[in-house]
């Protein structure tokens, strides 16, 4: 099989020079050399070897480089062009070696995702396949345009086992996303063990939309997810939605309710009917609850962010909501974290350490503009561009359509850093693509909704804004054989001329 052209990579690299007279062929003698002064590089080397061994059957010994190797694949943390920054890389391929240079492990890891795409489709096989393992000659210089490129999985409406969460994380890594927001609590389920209130998980996690058995992650399982993501240079952001979307907590902890009566567990899909009690008599109990939950979650979360929701608090009077958020902001700071919240939190004018996540469907929002004047940064999750639970078209069997239909081109043909009115591009941290799971129950459903729109969004967050739909759609077409080989379910959009 011919080597895949350097120009088929998604996200599209910043600059590519092909040297068609050169190409590198993997053999059973190919060694993976890693920067001798870096444990990070050694771990990325092992990860790379792990990707290449199954389909080739080759050993891919990983060992520290001495100097700049003139054979094999070298992952080096010296000599990279300054423009690669904290997350970029260079790849140089000639007939005798593949040189990868970066400044960080994250940069080396990003290069490995590119290398994967430069190899024939057969590399995605989980068993040995006879192929000529060629990588086209040339040079790639690449680095991301935005720092935050995220995916969210709602594990509250429907619970997913750790194995499914790990596969979702693999899909984020494949397209160079670097944040994983896990929506752990909502009306239908509480999905994380909290020692201070054991019933949150054991009872609050005992069902889901439709009445199925639900489930929850023990602290050990959550830590396993965090470590799995970290090994792929992905930062986990846990979300406990509040003060709305809290029925699972209210059902598990009676004293969070104004009448101290626990409502029944909820297995429907309505929103906006629940709220922590806001009255004076319950203030201490509710505040202590939040403090306990944030303390335990922060202790399990190495990343800088904790997400405390804030959306659709339709059963919380506005003045109470604002006072509530003002009490919550310092709790997150107390445990050394920064708060992410749905953009309604702007009503409570958080300080600029907070990261509001915009989920509106129009670019013009008064609270956003006012916050931008105060120097806030924003995370863009415009629902009519990034909500991967939206149907592709009216015939899509899964998903919803309240924010509109999102075909691949709708997810691609916009610019996340230029979307919000009155917000300069330097104030946009990046984008995040939420997958809400009211209608999503298994891995194949997740994959059907995120492929091919996640690669489209990934390119909008990583590549130069000048990349075009017509170029992207031809590159995207070359990726479906990879997804098939990797047994990834995807939507064969009629907008793409699939092979
Ligand atoms: C931030 C936000 N709150 C709502 C809204 O997004 O729509 C989602 C479905 O698309 C729904 O699941 C979620 O609870």
């Amino acid at each position: 099989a011919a080597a895949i052209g350097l120009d088929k990579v998604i996200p599209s690299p910043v600059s590519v020079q092909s040297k068609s007279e050169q190409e590198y062929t993997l053999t059973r003698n190919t060694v993976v050399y890693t920067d001798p002064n870096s444990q990070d590089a050694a771990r990325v080397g092992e990860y790379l070897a792990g990707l290449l061994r199954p389909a080739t059957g080759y050993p891919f010994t990983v060992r520290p480089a001495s100097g700049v190797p003139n054979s094999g694949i070298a992952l080096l943390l010296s000599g990279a062009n300054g423009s690669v920054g904290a997350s970029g890389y260079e790849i140089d391929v000639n007939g005798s070696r593949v040189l990868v240079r970066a400044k960080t492990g994250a940069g080396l890891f990003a290069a490995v995702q590119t290398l994967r795409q430069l190899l024939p489709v057969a590399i995605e096989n989980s068993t040995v396949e006879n192929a000529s393992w060629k990588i086209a000659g040339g040079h790639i210089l690449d680095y991301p345009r935005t720092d935050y490129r995220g995916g969210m999985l709602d594990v509250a409406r429907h619970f997913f086992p750790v194995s499914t969460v790990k596969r979702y994380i693999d899909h984020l890594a494949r397209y160079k996303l670097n944040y994983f927001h896990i929506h752990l609590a909502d009306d239908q389920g509480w999905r994380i063990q909290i020692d201070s209130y054991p019933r949150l998980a054991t009872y609050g996690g005992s069902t889901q939309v439709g009445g199925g058995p639900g489930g929850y992650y023990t602290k050990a399982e959550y830590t396993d997810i965090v470590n799995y993501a970290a090994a792929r240079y992905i930062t986990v952001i846990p979300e406990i939605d509040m003060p709305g979307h809290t029925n699972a907590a209210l059902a598990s902890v009676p004293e969070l309710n104004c009448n101290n009566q626990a409502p029944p567990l909820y297995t429907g899909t309505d929103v906006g009917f629940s709220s922590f009690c806001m009255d004076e008599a319950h203030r201490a109990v509710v505040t202590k609850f939040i403090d306990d939950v944030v303390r335990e979650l922060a202790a399990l979360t190495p990343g800088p962010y904790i997400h405390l929701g804030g959306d659709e608090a339709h059963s919380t009077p506005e003045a109470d909501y604002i006072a509530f958020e003002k009490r919550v902001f310092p709790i997150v700071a107390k445990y050394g974290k920064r708060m992410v919240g749905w953009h309604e939190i702007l009503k409570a004018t958080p300080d600029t350490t907070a990261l509001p996540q915009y989920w509106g469907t129009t670019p013009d929002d008064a609270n956003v503009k006012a916050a931008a004047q105060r120097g806030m940064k924003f995370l863009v999750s415009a629902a009519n561009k990034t909500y991967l639970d939206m149907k592709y078209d009216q015939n899509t069997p899964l998903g919803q359509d309240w924010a509109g239909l999102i075909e691949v081109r709708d997810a691609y043909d916009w610019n996340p850093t230029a979307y919000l009115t009155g917000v300069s591009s330097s104030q946009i941290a990046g984008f995040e693509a939420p997958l809400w799971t009211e209608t999503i129950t298994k891995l194949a459903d997740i994959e059907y909704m995120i492929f091919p729109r996640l690669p489209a969004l990934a390119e909008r967050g990583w590549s130069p804004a000048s990349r075009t739909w017509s170029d992207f759609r031809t590159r995207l077409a070359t990726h479906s054989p990879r997804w098939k080989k990797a047994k990834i379910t995807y939507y064969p959009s009629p907008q793409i001329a699939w092979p």
Side-chain angles (χ1 to χ4, degrees), residues 258-271:
C258 290
N259 61 6
N260 297 316
Q261 307 282 320
L265 292 171
Y266 178 68
T267 61
T269 57
D270 291 343
V271 299

Side-chain angles (χ1 to χ4, degrees), residues 152 154 157 183 186-187 239 241 245 269-271 311-312 342-344 357 359 383 387 389-390 400 402-403 434-438:
M152 185 205 89
D154 166 10
R157 274 52 179 275
H183 185 79
D186 208 301
D187 288 318
E239 179 186 352
D241 207 340
H245 287 280
T269 57
D270 291 343
V271 299
D311 62 314
E312 300 182 309
W342 302 106
H343 68 267
E344 291 96 318
Q357 180 169 7
W359 62 281
Y387 268 33
D389 59 316
M390 291 305 121
Q400 309 184 58
W402 71 265
L435 178 60
W436 301 100
T437 58
E438 288 87 342

Side-chain angles (χ1 to χ4, degrees), residues 313-470:
H314 303 324
S315 299
T316 311
E318 172 129 327
D320 290 339
Y321 174 86
I322 291 169
F324 172 84
E325 290 296 343
K326 286 183 182 298
R327 287 195 296 273
V328 161
F329 297 152
I331 294 176
V332 178
K334 171 179 170 185
Y335 293 109
K337 302 298 180 184
R338 293 177 57 189
M339 178 166 153
V340 187
W342 302 106
H343 68 267
E344 291 96 318
I345 63 165
L346 291 175
K347 294 176 197 164
T349 51
D351 70 31
T352 51
T353 62
L355 182 61
Q357 180 169 7
Y358 184 74
W359 62 281
T361 54
T362 59
D364 203 330
D365 180 285
N367 288 330
V368 164
K369 284 189 281 194
Q373 294 302 316
R374 293 191 289 119
M376 297 289 291
K377 285 211 162 188
F378 302 85
L379 180 56
V380 178
S381 290
N384 53 342
K385 305 287 184 186
T386 70
Y387 268 33
L388 301 185
D389 59 316
M390 291 305 121
K391 292 174 182 292
Y392 290 95
D393 66 20
Q394 275 309 3
N395 306 321
T396 305
L398 301 164
Q400 309 184 58
D401 60 8
W402 71 265
L405 301 173
I406 302 180
E407 249 289 3
V408 184
R409 182 166 190 171
D410 302 312
Y412 186 82
D413 247 354
W414 69 300
N415 179 353
T417 59
Y419 175 83
L420 288 175
T421 310
V423 182
S424 67
S425 57
S426 64
Q427 292 178 264
I428 301 297
F431 82 91
E432 181 182 286
L435 178 60
W436 301 100
T437 58
E438 288 87 342
T439 66
I440 305 297
T441 59
K442 55 188 185 297
L443 176 60
D445 293 355
I446 292 173
E447 294 179 344
Y448 184 83
M449 298 305 269
I450 70 174
F451 284 94
R453 291 179 295 190
L454 196 73
L457 290 163
E459 175 146 321
R460 300 322 270 178
W462 176 283
S463 306
S466 55
R467 294 296 181 269
T468 61
W469 164 251
S470 61

